[in-house]
Amino acid sequence: MSGGLGKMLIQLGIVLIIAGVVIHVGGKFLPFGNLPGDIHVEGRHGSFYFPWVSCIVISIVLSLLAHLFR
């Protein structure tokens, strides 16, 4: 049992490292968070920001990758 858990934790770690590198490097080249349709409202007492179009794009990409590697 611990061998399977160990493999899963190693795979999860690799995925998190890759995701961190993509976010760090891709943040300079990809406009995620600033796409048309992302909600940003500023008021007198604060602001609200929700990148829903960026979330949809990321969801589609992750779904396609999951489908390809299944």
Side-chain angles (χ1 to χ4, degrees), residues 8-35:
M8 184 182 70
L9 288 174
I10 290 171
Q11 291 172 349
L12 180 63
I14 291 171
V15 168
L16 288 174
I17 289 171
I18 291 171
V21 169
V22 167
I23 289 171
H24 181 69
V25 174
K28 298 174 185 174
F29 304 109
L30 301 173
F32 287 120
N34 295 323
L35 293 175

Side-chain angles (χ1 to χ4, degrees), residues 30-39 49-62:
L30 301 173
F32 287 120
N34 295 323
L35 293 175
D38 289 344
I39 299 172
Y49 179 71
F50 185 71
W52 74 279
V53 174
S54 296
C55 291
I56 291 171
V57 170
I58 291 171
S59 176
I60 290 170
V61 169
L62 290 176

